[in-house]
Amino acid sequence: MIKREQYLSHIRGFYHTDLIKVITGIRRCGKSVLLMQIMEELREQSVREDQILYLNFEDYDYSFIHSGKELHEYIKSKVTTEKKYYLFFDEIQMVPDFERVINSIRMKYNTSIFITGSNGKLLSGELATFLSGRTVSFRMYPFSFAEACECRALQKDAVTDEILLDYMSWGGMPQRFQMENEEQTKTFLRDLFDTIVLRDIVQRAGIKDIALFNRLVEYLVCNPSQTFSASAVSSYFLSENRKVSKETIYNYLEHITASLIMQRAARYDIRGKRILTKMDKYYLTDMGLGRIRNSGYKLEMGALLENVVYNELLIRGFDVYVGKTRKGEVDFVAIREQKKEYYQVAYYLYDQNVIDREFGAFKEIDDNYPKYVISFDKMDFSRDGIIHKNAVSFLLELR
């Protein structure tokens, strides 16, 4: 079992505080395992077993809890002393009115509460209303490329381009590394995708036109790293004799991103230093979910690598935007603690035209923040203060 130190290192400082620890992430990215690792660390700190309570609402053992009231009564039956209790609620969004319960428990009892959910809006709505200023949130992702290599017990010098290509194809969902062959991997990812779409989106959102929704999902996963245009999507459906309004498209997009299948990268005006509201890009949270939904489209390798780099920057704690310059764009502007980094991503720097295009994207940026070009090339093409990095080396480095 891989220890998710990337996340544990940020959460440890809050283990014993009364702030609600909210951990969100796509289904099966490892949230439950992370909670187990936190509980184990608490035991190592001499927290008694009877002070730790873990409820996984996907476990049939807790199927008797149908409402917030039933959850509240159950917790009351377990928290019976003045000692500090550590309460872990896994996939809590499945319990109606859970927000009031969490707030009530926090006020009444001496507790440290951890909750997880597979919905990007877990911290919005009533939870935000009841617990404003009383939460600390953490976003969790599938295995990074470095974690995927660790899972396979690969030393750094044994990691090849083929390993990265496999990750670009099948992603980093932890359970997929337990599969014995490609067919098992496909079955696992297909079942996971269907669970997310049918249960988390279609049923809960009450989507009526399931066929249309599935076509939109297919369109998005077959066009990762591309600038999104509702007009273009509407025209695409019109060419297939389906009339779809922009409002419907944006409504479906909201559900897709809330389920955490895909993530939105807003456009950032580098010169004006402001976030723009149009021409976003959408990236897959896990590459494997795109692979199993692709019905024959040939995916461009540069776009897949761009998606992987985008996810890696998020895992490293950056806020990531698509950079807009006066005459073009930079793939990513990564911002963390008031500092910026700029990134261009290419599959290979095949010839001088490609080299000039990728390095030339930074031409209009006159600040001194680091600028990088990432590609599969092993030769170092760094020039004019712009750093070229091999993709495998970049994804394995500790930062």
Side-chain angles (χ1 to χ4, degrees):
M1 182 170 62
I2 301 297
K3 192 159 188 176
R4 308 301 296 273
E5 185 61 32
Q6 172 75 21
Y7 307 102
L8 291 169
S9 62
H10 290 96
I11 303 173
R12 283 193 187 104
F14 300 96
Y15 279 6
H16 308 292
T17 72
D18 64 355
L19 291 170
I20 310 298
K21 279 67 71 177
V22 181
I23 303 166
T24 57
I26 190 172
R27 282 189 182 277
R28 302 293 177 264
C29 72
K31 298 186 297 298
S32 299
V33 171
L34 184 69
L35 292 187
M36 298 297 175
Q37 293 177 352
I38 293 172
M39 286 187 277
E40 186 57 35
E41 291 194 352
L42 289 173
R43 295 184 187 101
E44 292 171 358
Q45 296 174 15
S46 300
V47 174
R48 291 168 54 93
E49 196 66 40
D50 61 0
Q51 293 172 253
I52 299 173
L53 180 63
Y54 171 71
L55 288 80
N56 184 341
F57 294 104
E58 290 191 315
D59 189 332
Y60 194 75
D61 285 345
Y62 300 103
S63 60
F64 64 89
I65 298 176
H66 302 100
S67 67
K69 183 178 180 180
E70 290 173 337
L71 174 59
H72 192 256
E73 291 300 316
Y74 182 78
I75 298 302
K76 282 171 61 179
S77 72
K78 298 295 182 180
V79 180
T80 57
T81 72
E82 296 299 317
K83 294 183 295 186
K84 193 176 190 73
Y85 286 80
Y86 297 82
L87 309 180
F88 296 82
F89 302 108
D90 206 352
E91 297 296 348
I92 197 168
Q93 78 276 353
M94 300 181 70
V95 180
D97 207 27
F98 74 87
E99 302 92 346
R100 292 177 181 270
V101 180
I102 295 298
N103 188 45
S104 177
I105 293 170
R106 185 196 61 80
M107 291 191 299
K108 282 184 179 180
Y109 304 109
N110 180 18
T111 59
S112 175
I113 299 174
F114 302 75
I115 66 177
T116 76
S118 301
N119 191 296
K121 292 188 173 182
L122 192 65
L123 272 174
S124 64
E126 291 193 6
L127 186 61
T129 301
F130 287 120
L131 300 175
S132 177
R134 301 182 181 93
T135 64
V136 57
S137 63
F138 306 91
R139 175 69 187 277
M140 194 171 184
Y141 299 88
F143 280 165
S144 66
F145 180 62
E147 287 178 314
C149 292
E150 182 183 354
C151 182
R152 289 174 158 173
L154 292 172
Q155 297 299 316
K156 193 172 182 178
D157 57 2
V159 180
T160 63
D161 289 353
E162 286 69 29
I163 299 296
L164 177 52
L165 289 170
D166 174 81
Y167 181 81
M168 287 165 59
S169 293
W170 298 110
M173 285 294 182
Q175 282 180 275
R176 84 100 166 164
F177 295 97
Q178 300 172 14
M179 303 301 147
E180 295 181 357
N181 53 53
E182 187 174 293
E183 193 56 41
Q184 287 185 7
T185 299
K186 287 180 180 179
T187 300
F188 162 68
L189 291 171
R190 192 177 295 113
D191 289 347
L192 172 59
F193 183 90
D194 289 344
T195 297
I196 294 171
V197 171
L198 295 177
R199 185 165 69 181
D200 292 354
I201 304 179
V202 172
Q203 292 179 8
R204 292 184 183 173
I207 290 174
K208 306 300 183 187
D209 194 336
I210 299 174
L212 175 63
F213 180 78
N214 278 328
R215 291 304 302 274
L216 177 60
V217 172
E218 182 178 293
Y219 177 90
L220 287 169
V221 301
C222 291
N223 295 277
S225 313
Q226 303 300 311
T227 301
F228 181 83
S229 165
S231 296
V233 176
S234 183
S235 298
Y236 165 77
F237 282 119
L238 194 60
S239 70
E240 299 191 339
N241 299 314
R242 295 294 301 270
K243 188 174 182 180
V244 185
S245 70
K246 293 180 184 178
E247 181 181 0
T248 297
I249 291 170
Y250 281 120
N251 184 44
Y252 284 179
L253 266 177
E254 192 72 18
H255 293 308
I256 291 169
T257 54
S259 73
L260 306 177
I261 294 175
M262 301 198 77
Q263 303 165 98
R264 181 179 70 92
R267 197 166 290 267
Y268 181 88
D269 183 346
I270 296 173
R271 186 178 181 85
K273 299 179 181 179
R274 60 193 178 97
I275 299 172
L276 305 176
T277 57
K278 294 182 179 180
M279 306 298 285
D280 301 328
K281 286 188 176 183
Y282 288 83
Y283 293 92
L284 289 158
T285 299
D286 184 78
M287 309 305 293
L289 294 178
R291 176 68 177 267
I292 56 99
R293 289 299 297 175
N294 190 319
S295 59
Y297 292 91
K298 182 175 175 58
L299 296 176
E300 202 268 309
M301 298 303 293
L304 295 182
L305 181 59
E306 182 181 324
N307 201 142
V308 168
V309 171
Y310 174 79
N311 290 339
E312 179 66 25
L313 292 171
L314 290 177
I315 291 170
R316 293 180 184 184
F318 287 96
D319 294 322
V320 187
Y321 305 93
V322 177
K324 178 186 178 301
T325 62
R326 284 180 298 179
K327 297 182 180 180
E329 72 174 38
V330 174
D331 286 337
F332 301 124
V333 181
I335 302 175
R336 184 176 62 187
E337 298 175 354
Q338 306 303 313
K339 296 181 179 180
K340 297 178 187 175
E341 295 180 0
Y342 301 101
Y343 290 86
Q344 279 291 106
V345 183
Y347 183 36
Y348 276 103
L349 300 173
Y350 291 103
D351 54 36
Q352 193 60 46
N353 289 332
V354 177
I355 294 171
D356 291 342
R357 182 188 69 214
E358 300 300 332
F359 283 82
F362 301 114
K363 187 175 181 180
E364 294 184 57
I365 304 174
D366 57 6
D367 61 38
N368 293 316
Y369 290 115
K371 301 171 181 66
Y372 300 97
V373 173
I374 311 296
S375 75
F376 266 75
D377 299 277
K378 293 179 172 58
M379 180 184 295
D380 187 354
F381 287 92
S382 299
R383 69 182 195 186
D384 301 326
I386 300 168
I387 303 167
H388 171 248
K389 290 194 173 186
N390 169 261
V392 171
S393 298
F394 167 74
L395 293 168
L396 291 178
E397 68 186 16
L398 296 176
R399 302 186 66 201

